[in-house]
Amino acid sequence: VDALGALAALLVKTGDAAGAVEYAARAVAIAPASPPVHNNLAGALMAAGRREEAVAALRRAVALAPQYAEAWINLGTLLRTLRRPTESEDALRPGLALKPGDTAAWATLGLSLEDQDRLDEAIEMLRRSIAADPHPPWSARREDRVRHGTEPVEHAAVQRHDLAASVEPDHRVGIADPLRFGECRQGRTAGRRPAGGARPARTASAA
């Protein structure tokens, strides 16, 4: 499964989204009870523009492992890109409860709250993001714009459409927002995030 996941991640990097989906799906067929392989399949599906299927894959990942913080955060991030801010919030909150130091996730939650016109709460979430990382390139500006109602500016993570998957266990792969796909080594991930484990992989390069 590790090899399949690593290959899928590489194919995403090279722009072969269809091939990435094929190999990520094969990993799922081999290890359907592994949350990371569903997380990785979601990354490949996102690269292929199949966003609703990616949502379904991430929902399977968190159903299998409710403590899988990265899958919750990926799900919340993806739902925000689909303009479903309430669902985004519902996914981001459990992810952040498991991984409160995730700067980008706090910011994405803030943006989801802004999308719901809950500006005071949005500002608070952006402040938490800044507290988690005092020197982000965008949070302070975003907080100021939310406060004053000026033009929307997506945060750096949203602009980071790198769609590159990595075999590195702690490497983030940005898809729209900082979705993390591609953490390989199923055993290592599962060890870090058992079927209830928090974030088994900043993506699981399922393979």
Side-chain angles (χ1 to χ4, degrees), residues 111-171:
L111 299 179
S112 293
L113 291 166
E114 182 193 3
D115 292 341
Q116 300 174 61
D117 294 322
R118 293 158 60 185
L119 301 188
D120 289 342
E121 293 172 83
I123 288 169
E124 176 58 27
M125 296 308 104
L126 290 167
R127 284 178 172 162
R128 291 191 189 188
S129 177
I130 293 168
D133 179 357
H135 305 292
W138 45 268
S139 286
R141 292 198 307 273
R142 185 64 181 179
E143 178 191 342
D144 185 66
R145 286 177 171 139
V146 170
R147 179 185 298 282
H148 294 98
T150 55
E151 81 283 357
V153 176
E154 293 300 324
H155 60 72
V158 177
Q159 298 170 347
R160 201 165 56 223
H161 255 278
D162 46 316
L163 288 181
S166 169
V167 183
E168 300 290 330
D170 290 320
H171 179 73

Side-chain angles (χ1 to χ4, degrees), residues 5-200:
L7 179 55
L10 180 59
L11 290 173
V12 169
K13 275 186 177 180
T14 61
D16 184 1
V21 171
E22 176 187 349
Y23 286 102
R26 285 173 60 181
V28 169
I30 292 170
S34 169
V37 300
H38 293 284
N39 187 55
N40 292 344
L41 175 59
L45 289 165
M46 272 293 298
R50 295 160 61 178
R51 294 184 174 189
E52 291 298 339
E53 292 173 80
V55 169
L58 288 168
R59 290 198 189 282
R60 284 192 292 273
V62 297
L64 287 166
Q67 302 303 310
Y68 192 167
E70 211 61 50
W72 280 116
I73 291 169
N74 284 344
L75 177 59
T77 298
L78 174 54
L79 287 166
R80 183 180 180 267
T81 70
L82 293 174
R83 302 184 187 282
R84 289 151 65 176
T86 302
E87 291 177 75
S88 173
E89 177 189 357
D90 289 344
L92 287 166
R93 288 194 184 278
L96 282 164
L98 293 162
K99 189 165 178 282
D102 194 310
T103 303
W106 282 116
T108 303
L109 177 56
L111 299 179
S112 293
L113 291 166
E114 182 193 3
D115 292 341
Q116 300 174 61
D117 294 322
R118 293 158 60 185
L119 301 188
D120 289 342
E121 293 172 83
I123 288 169
E124 176 58 27
M125 296 308 104
L126 290 167
R127 284 178 172 162
R128 291 191 189 188
S129 177
I130 293 168
D133 179 357
H135 305 292
W138 45 268
S139 286
R141 292 198 307 273
R142 185 64 181 179
E143 178 191 342
D144 185 66
R145 286 177 171 139
V146 170
R147 179 185 298 282
H148 294 98
T150 55
E151 81 283 357
V153 176
E154 293 300 324
H155 60 72
V158 177
Q159 298 170 347
R160 201 165 56 223
H161 255 278
D162 46 316
L163 288 181
S166 169
V167 183
E168 300 290 330
D170 290 320
H171 179 73
R172 293 189 181 188
V173 178
I175 295 186
D177 273 30
L179 297 183
R180 300 117 201 208
F181 304 98
E183 174 172 10
C184 94
R185 314 276 192 276
Q186 186 182 341
R188 179 170 53 191
T189 332
R192 271 197 270 165
R193 272 73 170 153
R199 212 194 124 185

